Amino acid sequence: MNQQMSDNVPASQAVDGVVVGAGFAGLYMLHRLRSMGCSAIVVESADDVGGTWYWNRYPGARCDIMTVDYSYSWDPELEAEWQWSEKYATQPEILRYLQHVADKHDLRRDIRFSTRVDSAIWDEETSRWRVRTSAGEISCRYFIMASGCLSVPKAPDVPGVEKFQGELYSTSRWPHEGVDFTGKRVAVIGTGSSGVQSIPLIGAQASQLTVFQRTPNFSRPAKNGPVPQERIDRYLGDRAAYREAARWSRIGVPRQLLEKGAMQVSEDERQAVYERMWESGDLVPPVFPDLFTSAESNETLCDFLRDKIRSIVNDPLTAEALCPKDHFYGTKRPCLDTNYYETFNLPHVSLVDLRTTPITSIKATGIDTTTSSFEFDAIVFATGFDAMTGAIVAVDIRGRDGITLAGKWAEGPRTYLGLMTAGFPNFFMITGPGSPSVLSNMAVSIEQHVEWVSDCVGQMREQNLNAIVPTSTAEAGWVQHVNDFADMTLYPRAKSWYMGANVPGKPRVFLPYVGGVDLYRKTCDEVVRRGYLGFAFEGPGGAHCNDGVIYRLQPDVQSLLGILAGLNLPPMESLDAG
């Protein structure tokens, strides 16, 4: 495997585009820029491609969208030649897939591995970005952050970590050689997705496992195995149609929504739907359409899932502690697991509920809580990420008039379409805040963003334009639209990383766009169709500003008008008033 390392980076270099990150987004962005005749460099802090699938090597790490959907659609040859071994591929298999893509398309020669981006400063005089890296400076016309939504680990906020003399691990930065916990006393702190996936495998090795839980999360069995034949048949029957259906679906996966709400059917029918959901092993099975807008409907699913937990976990106190009661299902990232709840029936596995017995400190030999003292050989932190904004603001990005992005976003991120932000010309974000991103199949959302950005760059080159920037009016309108949509749902009620609530001091705002992949794609297309509404352009080819707001109506009013339009009713003035 021919990897180009950071010592291949010249002290100063000029290219059309700099892309940060060599995961799903960065690899495709590089491929698209190259295919347009643009010169481009990807800067990657790791020593190989993979992004999140390079770093997250903890036991049990898998995708939670079926691999038939969680894969590229832009290379028909790749789709035909790559066969996934399981419904939910493991981290090593996904990493091999991305390595294969990089090699197949000869992408490595333009990736600078083991290189960190420190800052990016807009130069108004040249209409270019000056990107400072750990290996030198690069000048570029377009600066593109493809650094991922879950790539900056949240630092442990437990006092005394530095005192511990045993082994310390983080699920987000797992040793490449793996870890053998055989015969060891292990603590795991955190029960989000990485905790839920790793705890059963750690428990199978350790002589003693103690799980420290801050807040329980909902999880359903993944039922992993081969990709379901029905899904394979749909996919192989017409790959192009299947992929197109995903692009215009609500979450980036072709699926059906039930026609009636949860409270509009009988108790028996409702329970039957939930049983099928439980047995499906699918993160996004057919569901009632009002689960995320009606507290009453959502609570029926919460009750069902809590009863499942109680039926699996033998100890009633442990079962009750594992039952989420502080948020509605789905308002925190739901999990898929393999024997997670069953693990707590093992005699050497115990649960500590930090809501009733919080940790007071970590000491040299273990962990102290308000009621007990524990001795451990190893501690595993499964404490999550500074999601969606962490990787972006970690770089010192300065736009016009020296404004810093971190300063502009001090009260929460402000973007137009989750793609750009006012005051920062030619700065693009792939699956940035204000886009569907983490509420969707990321593979579909990544492709849509990469294609929108590359099409925009192509049009600018054709028209001899040097800079594009969203207007403050368009940005304010989009931020309002994102918030209005979120406020129609149950999402803002949860203290979740969707809200930035897992990071102390982070503004509490809803980060993704909940309107759906389909409406979002339609919106982005409409912006372009209307002459890049909400954007200003500059360059030798002329300067023009097409200011405006893409949505002025509240989402519920907008949806109602859309339904009425679909009914093809006669014009109001044609109706007989008598």
Side-chain angles (χ1 to χ4, degrees), residues 64-84:
D64 57 10
I65 296 290
M66 289 193 198
T67 45
V68 70
D69 299 301
Y70 190 72
S71 53
Y72 288 129
S73 70
W74 50 268
D75 183 351
E77 274 188 13
L78 176 66
E79 291 205 273
E81 69 192 20
W82 187 271
Q83 300 296 319
W84 294 100

Side-chain angles (χ1 to χ4, degrees), residues 98-111:
L98 292 172
Q99 290 169 336
H100 174 72
V101 171
D103 293 337
K104 173 181 168 65
H105 293 281
D106 189 25
L107 299 178
R108 294 178 185 276
R109 61 184 167 89
D110 290 321
I111 303 175

Side-chain angles (χ1 to χ4, degrees), residues 43-97:
V43 182
E44 171 56 59
S45 61
D47 63 9
D48 198 1
V49 300
T52 189
W53 298 109
Y54 172 92
W55 294 108
N56 286 269
R57 300 166 182 253
Y58 60 84
R62 297 177 180 270
C63 60
D64 57 10
I65 296 290
M66 289 193 198
T67 45
V68 70
D69 299 301
Y70 190 72
S71 53
Y72 288 129
S73 70
W74 50 268
D75 183 351
E77 274 188 13
L78 176 66
E79 291 205 273
E81 69 192 20
W82 187 271
Q83 300 296 319
W84 294 100
S85 66
E86 294 181 276
K87 181 170 67 171
Y88 300 114
T90 61
Q91 175 271 333
E93 186 173 13
I94 299 172
L95 181 59
R96 288 195 300 273
Y97 173 77

Side-chain angles (χ1 to χ4, degrees), residues 251 330 398 454 522 555:
I251 59 171
R398 298 173 182 259
S454 55
K522 179 182 177 183

Side-chain angles (χ1 to χ4, degrees), residues 303-383:
D303 285 340
F304 172 86
L305 294 172
R306 286 190 285 257
D307 285 344
K308 284 290 187 183
I309 296 169
R310 295 177 185 118
S311 71
I312 296 170
V313 180
N314 295 335
D315 178 64
L317 292 178
T318 301
E320 211 56 38
L322 288 166
C323 287
K325 296 171 185 173
D326 67 338
H327 66 279
F328 294 105
Y329 176 82
T331 57
K332 290 187 175 184
R333 178 76 174 186
C335 302
L336 293 180
D337 70 84
T338 301
N339 298 324
Y340 173 65
Y341 295 116
E342 291 84 348
T343 297
F344 291 95
N345 292 331
L346 299 175
H348 65 287
V349 177
S350 60
L351 179 72
V352 176
D353 185 351
L354 297 181
R355 294 170 299 183
T356 57
T357 56
I359 293 174
T360 56
S361 68
I362 293 178
K363 57 185 180 180
T365 58
I367 296 175
D368 286 339
T369 69
T370 54
T371 60
S372 302
S373 184
F374 300 86
E375 303 288 313
F376 294 114
D377 302 303
I379 299 176
V380 176
F381 288 97
T383 46

